[in-house]
Amino acid sequence: MSAEFQTFFEDLVQGETHKFGQYEVKRDEVIDFARAYDPHEFHLSDEAAANSHFGRLSASGWHTCAMTMRMMVDQMHEKGLASMGGAGVDELRWMAPVYPGDVLRVESELLEKRRSRSRPEMGLIRRRNTVFNQENRAVMSFLVTGMIALRDPSAPFED
Amino acid sequence: MSAEFQTFFEDLVQGETHKFGQYEVKRDEVIDFARAYDPHEFHLSDEAAANSHFGRLSASGWHTCAMTMRMMVDQMHEKGLASMGGAGVDELRWMAPVYPGDVLRVESELLEKRRSRSRPEMGLIRRRNTVFNQENRAVMSFLVTGMIALRDPSAPFED
């Protein structure tokens, strides 16, 4: 385990909510992402967007996922979290459009933590991440399951 | 409704599976995406990747989502699908690493379709999308809920 890690599975507290991130959504980035990965006309052109239910140019929902991941990884690095990767995502919902000029942030609640029986060197955590814009409107939410290394893999199981 | 649309809600057949896409995963693209959105060292450097459980440099799971969306949008455009956007994703699972040099494709099964009662001009569909690599190994799967316009919004409800 790398010496850079400071926060391990044992340090995570079920029920705690962390707030982090400040991601300014840039118009060029919205268009570049859409051109590469989600080339619907309403993500590329103001005119097409005006005629869509979004009303004006908005980010691909997958771009919002990517921007959120960036905020999550920056937070993991800041905390020195011993993350071993993500296993999956559930209940991903796009609740409101994300527009160029918006500033996004994340609230992350730790819903559940449990040690892995098959891999005692790690634990599984489940978080609900909600992404808000600068008006404190929730624009996206999802549940994520992550794998976190233990500081002391030899510790006995508690149950 | 744009004249470019050819495939409407009425045309979609529950239970059908469509196979499409051929996305070659490029090393530069993997690194560029990771640098912007998922800057874990194991997505950026061969050395860090060799010491991770991925074994070698692999794509961010969110990059795999983005590449898959590109295949989906290309397919929608080819079919002239009257898509009104996605509502959400469930059971997103990353099942195997995606490496530079892999060639991805999608199998999409239409699990369910129903008209919206609150918005009779559209229907809701639910698909299971599974992404395979060139060795026919499933690397990712998810359920997606989409909104599709009706050709004839004035048609009476069947039930």
Side-chain angles (χ1 to χ4, degrees):
Chain A
M1 194 51 51
S2 166
E4 78 197 84
F5 292 133
Q6 295 151 21
T7 305
F8 292 85
F9 179 75
E10 293 91 329
D11 304 314
L12 303 178
V13 179
Q14 195 164 320
E16 275 195 353
T17 296
H18 291 271
K19 302 181 179 191
F20 55 88
Q22 183 177 342
Y23 197 110
E24 192 184 336
V25 182
K26 306 275 195 188
R27 178 182 166 87
D28 287 353
E29 189 185 325
V30 163
I31 293 173
D32 287 348
F33 188 101
R35 189 171 289 129
Y37 299 118
D38 191 352
H40 278 112
E41 270 304 309
F42 50 75
H43 289 315
L44 294 170
S45 119
D46 292 316
E47 196 187 345
N51 291 320
S52 76
H53 63 288
F54 295 118
R56 57 195 174 93
L57 193 78
S58 65
S60 165
W62 295 107
H63 189 196
T64 305
C65 290
M67 293 186 282
T68 301
M69 187 63 188
R70 176 57 189 257
M71 290 187 277
M72 290 162 62
V73 174
D74 285 350
Q75 169 77 354
M76 287 180 213
H77 285 166
E78 194 183 312
K79 297 265 177 194
L81 182 66
S83 172
M84 299 171 71
V89 165
D90 289 275
E91 298 177 25
L92 172 60
R93 297 290 177 271
W94 294 292
M95 290 125 81
V98 170
Y99 297 113
D102 282 359
V103 180
L104 305 180
R105 63 181 183 85
V106 183
E107 293 192 10
S108 179
E109 182 186 1
L110 184 60
L111 301 178
E112 191 188 345
K113 61 177 278 191
R114 63 183 172 83
R115 271 185 84 177
S116 168
R117 293 217 164 253
S118 57
R119 294 179 62 187
E121 77 280 13
M122 72 175 206
L124 292 162
I125 63 167
R126 203 164 167 83
R127 293 182 187 279
R128 176 177 295 283
N129 289 339
T130 309
V131 182
F132 296 88
N133 66 17
Q134 71 285 357
E135 291 162 352
N136 291 318
R137 181 169 183 188
V139 297
M140 187 174 80
S141 77
F142 58 96
L143 300 176
V144 61
T145 303
M147 299 169 285
I148 312 288
L150 267 76
R151 179 180 284 110
D152 178 11
S154 67
F157 278 77
E158 283 173 16
D159 51 1
Chain B
M1 195 50 51
S2 165
E4 78 198 83
F5 292 134
Q6 294 152 22
T7 305
F8 292 85
F9 179 76
E10 294 91 328
D11 304 314
L12 303 178
V13 179
Q14 194 165 320
E16 275 195 352
T17 295
H18 291 272
K19 300 180 181 191
F20 55 87
Q22 183 177 344
Y23 197 110
E24 192 184 335
V25 182
K26 307 274 195 189
R27 179 181 165 87
D28 286 355
E29 190 185 323
V30 163
I31 293 172
D32 287 349
F33 189 101
R35 188 170 290 128
Y37 299 117
D38 191 352
H40 279 111
E41 271 303 311
F42 50 74
H43 290 314
L44 294 170
S45 119
D46 291 316
E47 195 186 345
N51 291 320
S52 76
H53 62 288
F54 295 119
R56 56 196 175 94
L57 194 78
S58 66
S60 165
W62 295 107
H63 189 196
T64 305
C65 289
M67 294 187 281
T68 301
M69 186 63 188
R70 177 55 188 258
M71 291 188 276
M72 290 163 62
V73 174
D74 285 350
Q75 168 77 353
M76 287 180 211
H77 285 167
E78 193 183 311
K79 298 265 176 193
L81 182 66
S83 171
M84 299 171 71
V89 164
D90 289 276
E91 298 177 24
L92 172 60
R93 297 291 176 272
W94 294 292
M95 290 126 81
V98 170
Y99 297 114
D102 282 359
V103 180
L104 305 179
R105 64 180 183 84
V106 183
E107 293 192 10
S108 178
E109 181 186 0
L110 184 60
L111 300 177
E112 190 187 346
K113 59 178 280 191
R114 63 182 173 83
R115 272 184 84 177
S116 167
R117 293 217 164 253
S118 58
R119 295 179 61 185
E121 76 281 12
M122 73 175 205
L124 293 162
I125 63 167
R126 201 164 166 84
R127 294 182 186 278
R128 177 178 295 283
N129 289 339
T130 309
V131 182
F132 296 88
N133 66 16
Q134 70 284 357
E135 291 163 351
N136 291 317
R137 181 169 183 188
V139 297
M140 185 174 81
S141 78
F142 57 95
L143 300 175
V144 60
T145 303
M147 300 169 284
I148 312 288
L150 267 76
R151 179 180 284 111
D152 178 12
S154 66
F157 278 77
E158 284 173 12
D159 51 2

